[in-house]
Amino acid sequence: MKKISEKFRRLLFFISNLEKRHKIITYCTLLLLTILGYLLRNENKDVNVESATLVEKNLHLKGNMLIFNSSYENLPLPVWQKVKRGNHFILQYVNPVYVQNFGHFINYSQFDVIGKNNFEIFPNKLAQTYYEGDVAVAITGKAMESFHYPVDKNGNPIKIKVLKWRKIRDNKDTLVYGIIKEILPYDKKK
């Protein structure tokens, strides 16, 4: 046992002397860190290029959504389109009239709303009623009229009459469209 501990001490002493005289461990560590830094920098460049490419593609997709839904651009009523992804309905389009009337929910931007679901935009109670209507239309395939009670841009409660319908595109995408037929002042008596 003494021989093993003596050999181990000698080895440690030899390594310690090498480090003191030649700084071998320090230089090896610096060399290793330099190589890793270079490799990570190259990887970072690749990630930045991929990120810029995805941002550019995203802008083109948003522009294509406006072109695809251009027939709704000049409609004088608020219109939107959602696509079903799993258990969520993701907003893909809102027309300018929707932004004008309900922009306070979406930062007054036609593009910021794209890719968000009801629960990311509206208060939970309102989002839940929208979600339930979207599910009903998506499952039954029948157009549905309903009333909802959001607030206007001044914070006053209003009553809206909504018509929703479904369209299935290429046998895989379920699109739910909605249009607000009427915006009425909220009557507390009823």
Side-chain angles (χ1 to χ4, degrees):
M1 187 75 172
K2 277 189 170 185
K3 289 181 181 180
I4 294 175
S5 65
E6 185 65 35
K7 286 182 181 180
F8 185 69
R9 259 191 229 151
R10 282 185 189 167
L11 179 65
L12 285 177
F13 183 71
F14 176 74
I15 292 172
S16 175
N17 282 338
L18 270 178
E19 175 60 24
K20 285 178 186 175
R21 288 186 198 149
H22 305 291
K23 304 288 185 201
I24 291 176
I25 294 175
T26 303
Y27 292 132
C28 288
T29 305
L30 283 174
L31 180 64
L32 178 65
L33 288 174
T34 303
I35 292 170
L36 288 174
Y38 178 76
L39 293 174
L40 287 174
R41 189 177 79 205
N42 283 342
E43 187 176 319
N44 192 23
K45 285 180 185 177
D46 293 342
V47 168
N48 286 340
V49 168
E50 287 177 22
S51 175
T53 304
L54 289 175
V55 166
E56 190 68 26
K57 283 182 182 178
N58 190 23
L59 286 175
H60 289 298
L61 286 174
K62 287 180 178 181
N64 288 343
M65 264 305 154
L66 290 178
I67 293 169
F68 178 73
N69 292 302
S70 63
S71 58
Y72 299 114
E73 281 291 300
N74 297 321
L75 197 65
L77 297 171
V79 178
W80 65 90
Q81 177 197 56
K82 299 176 188 174
V83 64
K84 186 175 187 298
R85 293 284 182 254
N87 291 331
H88 299 284
F89 291 90
I90 309 299
L91 273 162
Q92 285 191 315
Y93 171 77
V94 294
N95 72 345
V97 178
Y98 186 94
V99 174
Q100 181 182 349
N101 287 304
F102 298 98
H104 56 285
F105 289 117
I106 59 172
N107 297 325
Y108 292 97
S109 172
Q110 198 172 5
F111 290 111
D112 284 353
V113 72
I114 295 174
K116 295 182 180 177
N117 66 29
N118 293 327
F119 296 96
E120 295 172 314
I121 300 169
F122 303 107
N124 281 341
K125 186 176 180 182
L126 185 61
Q128 184 64 34
T129 61
Y130 288 164
Y131 175 77
E132 289 168 2
D134 294 340
V135 169
V137 170
I139 291 173
T140 64
K142 296 179 182 176
M144 181 178 92
E145 276 191 11
S146 59
F147 288 98
H148 298 282
Y149 303 93
V151 294
D152 64 9
K153 51 187 152 194
N154 299 322
N156 300 321
I158 56 174
K159 180 179 180 181
I160 58 174
K161 186 176 185 180
V162 176
L163 172 66
K164 291 184 181 181
W165 68 96
R166 176 187 83 179
K167 179 180 175 185
I168 297 179
R169 184 176 57 193
D170 301 331
N171 290 327
K172 61 180 180 177
D173 284 337
T174 301
L175 303 175
V176 175
Y177 287 90
I179 188 168
I180 297 176
K181 294 173 69 174
E182 287 184 84
I183 300 174
L184 308 165
Y186 180 67
D187 187 11
K188 292 182 182 180
K189 295 176 187 174
K190 292 183 181 181

